[in-house]
Each structure stands twice: as structure tokens, then as C-alpha cells.
Amino acid sequence: DETSGITTITLSSAPANTLSLELLTNLIEKLRDIEKDDSVKGVLVTSKYNGETFISGLNSYDMHNQTDERLAKYWTAVQDIHFTMYSFGKPIVAAINGDAVAGGCAFVLTCDYRVMMKGKRTGLPEAQFGIVAPFFYIDVMKSVIGNRQCELALLEGKIFSTEEAAKVGLVDEAVDLNLVLPNAMKKLQHLVKIPQPAFKLTKQTLRQADIEKFIANRDQNLKTYIQDLTKHSVYVIIRIFFYIVQGFQN
Ligand SMILES: CCCCC/C=C\C/C=C\C=C\CC(=O)SCCNC(=O)CCNC(=O)[C@H](O)C(C)(C)COP(=O)(O)OP(=O)(O)OC[C@H]1O[C@@H](n2cnc3c(N)ncnc32)[C@H](O)[C@@H]1OP(=O)(O)O
């Protein structure tokens, strides 16, 4: 919208907005363009699958049976979206109109404000699959809900209902579906009116330590990820995951 300076990004990758390489690549490029475009003051992110899914996590197919080179490309995109969103210089508000699980939870945690539909699910369930969430997912959750709540959640891979998530501050508002977009937009309209250099610098200051840690550790994290994903044990975990989510079609 040219008058308000607000851009809406509607994620629409069938069937459930998994963070595939294609979706991530397009999104990173779009956000980098928006960052440079002075006419855009703020970004609202929502999902086409209204009332169903916001983001259903990283794409399992992109992590399964791939070459090291392809795995590296995928994980670099996973790191890049996290970095681009978390360090974004303009306000980003998430209108979470469906489930936001695993990578989807980390994605919304990088935003500046979260309005979520009641009765849906969010959280980082990795421990339940026998894997460890990436350190930058853990850090962003810790920065939002604090160390103790993060421990309670991550040690058991807790999936929160929207209402539970709002209680611990994982989301800022739990509302009926019809209020998700209007409330998110109202908050964003307020945030874009804050003097933008002050907004940007305050955000940078608050997030600086985690951003520096991310930059210092991303290369090692990429190596570890590729090693882990080519281990037989993780292969088995992913097969089980496919079985649970899809009835073992692949
Ligand atoms: C999974 C183990 C990976 C190990 C990787 C090892 C190292 C990496 C380290 C950590 C990385 C962690 C971050 C992650 O994001 S891992 C991915 C974990 N994802 C999840 O836990 C979410 C799984 N999805 C769900 O729980 C449900 O889909 C959800 C609650 C989001 C929605 O439920 P609903 O019943 O509405 O919808 P479904 O019928 O389950 O799904 C619709 C459709 O979408 C497909 N799908 C869902 N999630 C994924 C996915 N992550 N990857 C690929 N495809 C997915 C699902 O199979 C359905 O397809 P179809 O049957 O309709 O064709």
C-alpha cells in the first residue's frame, strides 16, 4: 500500500507453507529489496492458508537424501532468513493465522510483534524428535520468553496452544481468526509512526549480542548440520517423521 508504506507478504507455498529452499530464496530476496526501498516503512507477514497453517516448519524433503552441496545451500538459506528477519531494519509484524511449528515458530520469533489465532499450535518440538534445535532458534526463543520458560519448553520440545503461548509471551496476542489481520495491522501502523532511526537503532541494540553470536558461529553450524544430516541416526529420525506426518509415502 503506497499511502501507508506497509507491504504485506502472504506466504503461499502449498500444501502448508513449509520453509522450502524455493520459498526461503524468494523471501530473502524480497526482504532485501524491501530493506533498500525507502517507500516501504513496515512489513506484515501472513499466510494464504487462513485458519489452517501459517508455517509448518523447515521442509523435510530439503533435509532428506540430498547431496552435501544441496544440504549446504538449504541450510545457508535457513540461516539467511533468520539473519535477515532478526536484523531487519524496519518493523515486521506476524499475523499468525494458523499453526506455526518448529522453523515456523522460530520465524515468527524474529518478528517485532506476533498476533496469533486462538486454538492453533506453536513451539520448537525438536527434542521430541531426538534432535537439537539450531542454536539461533534457541537464542531467539530465550530472548523473547526468558531463560527459565525457554528451558521448560525446549527440554521437552513443548508445543504450545496459542493461549499457552500468549501466557508466556511467546506470542503477544491470542485472538479470534477474524481479528488476526486487523490487530496485526493496527500494531504495525503504530510501529511505522515511531521515528525510524530510533526504532532501527533500538532494535539493533537489543539484538546485537545474538546477532554477533550468530555471525561468529554460522560457519561451524553449517558444517555440523551437514555432518548430522548425513548420519544414519538422523536419517532414521527423518524417516519416522515422514511416517508420522505423511503416512510414509516417500
Ligand atoms: C523432522 C526431523 C528433521 C531432522 C532434521 C535434522 C536437523 C535439523 C535440525 C533442526 C531443525 C529443526 C527445525 C524444523 O523445522 S524441523 C521440521 C519439523 N516440522 C514440524 O515439526 C512440523 C511438522 N508438521 C506438523 O506438525 C503439522 O503439519 C502442522 C501441525 C504444522 C499442521 O498440521 P495439519 O494437520 O493441519 O496438516 P498436515 O496434514 O500435517 O500437513 C499438511 C501437508 O503438509 C505436509 N507437511 C507438513 N509439515 C511438513 C514439513 N515440515 N515438511 C514437509 N512437508 C510437510 C504434510 O505432509 C501434508 O502434506 P500432504 O500429505 O497433504 O501432501
Side-chain angles (χ1 to χ4, degrees):
D1 179 342
E2 281 174 22
T3 47
S4 64
I6 287 172
T7 285
T8 299
I9 296 178
T10 305
L11 303 169
S12 48
S13 174
N17 276 339
T18 56
L19 294 172
S20 64
L21 180 59
E22 190 189 3
L23 185 148
L24 290 175
T25 308
N26 291 338
L27 193 54
I28 292 160
E29 198 184 315
K30 176 132 191 99
L31 288 168
R32 285 179 181 159
D33 287 346
I34 290 174
E35 184 106 60
K36 286 183 266 170
D37 182 347
D38 289 340
S39 70
V40 181
K41 307 291 180 215
V43 181
L44 187 133
V45 188
T46 192
S47 162
K48 179 183 171 186
Y49 308 108
N50 197 34
E52 293 167 21
T53 313
F54 181 78
I55 293 176
S56 65
L58 300 185
N59 189 308
S60 314
Y61 300 106
D62 281 307
M63 298 189 280
H64 183 64
N65 260 351
Q66 304 286 352
T67 62
D68 283 10
E69 196 186 345
R70 183 59 167 62
L71 287 174
K73 202 169 172 186
Y74 182 61
W75 200 251
T76 301
V78 170
Q79 292 180 333
D80 281 347
I81 194 64
H82 188 85
F83 180 76
T84 307
M85 298 272 299
Y86 198 56
S87 61
F88 203 67
K90 302 176 184 187
I92 311 188
V93 172
I96 312 165
N97 50 351
D99 293 309
V101 177
C105 173
F107 181 96
V108 299
L109 286 171
T110 62
C111 297
D112 302 311
Y113 196 77
R114 289 159 283 282
V115 179
M116 187 168 183
M117 173 191 172
K118 282 181 185 166
K120 288 292 170 182
R121 293 161 282 190
T122 190
L124 296 177
E126 285 77 3
Q128 287 191 42
F129 305 139
I131 57 173
V132 181
F135 76 88
F136 42 97
Y137 283 11
I138 296 176
D139 285 348
V140 72
M141 184 181 268
K142 200 161 72 175
S143 78
V144 173
I145 65 172
N147 200 61
R148 183 59 187 147
Q149 288 301 334
C150 191
E151 272 189 4
L152 287 172
L154 294 190
L155 294 178
E156 63 173 81
K158 182 173 170 64
I159 290 293
F160 294 83
S161 66
T162 308
E163 292 78 358
E164 291 171 328
K167 268 191 196 145
V168 296
L170 197 56
V171 298
D172 299 298
E173 292 182 38
V175 299
D176 290 333
L177 177 59
N178 64 325
L179 289 176
V180 171
L181 267 175
N183 285 20
M185 188 56 89
K186 192 172 165 202
K187 184 67 181 183
L188 187 54
Q189 281 164 345
H190 176 67
L191 289 179
V192 296
K193 287 192 191 124
I194 306 297
Q196 288 309 293
F199 177 92
K200 186 174 174 175
L201 212 59
T202 305
K203 184 165 162 177
Q204 267 173 9
T205 306
L206 285 163
R207 297 184 177 189
Q208 190 171 352
D210 282 344
I211 288 172
E212 283 171 6
K213 180 179 168 192
F214 173 85
I215 292 169
N217 289 286
R218 66 176 295 170
D219 290 349
Q220 184 54 48
N221 171 255
L222 175 61
K223 281 186 200 148
T224 310
Y225 165 79
I226 293 169
Q227 279 164 11
D228 284 355
L229 272 191
T230 43
K231 273 186 198 150
H232 182 68
S233 53
V234 176
Y235 178 86
V236 171
I237 287 167
I238 296 179
R239 297 301 292 178
I240 294 169
F241 176 78
F242 277 137
Y243 182 76
I244 295 167
V245 179
Q246 287 201 310
F248 219 55
Q249 294 157 7
N250 295 282

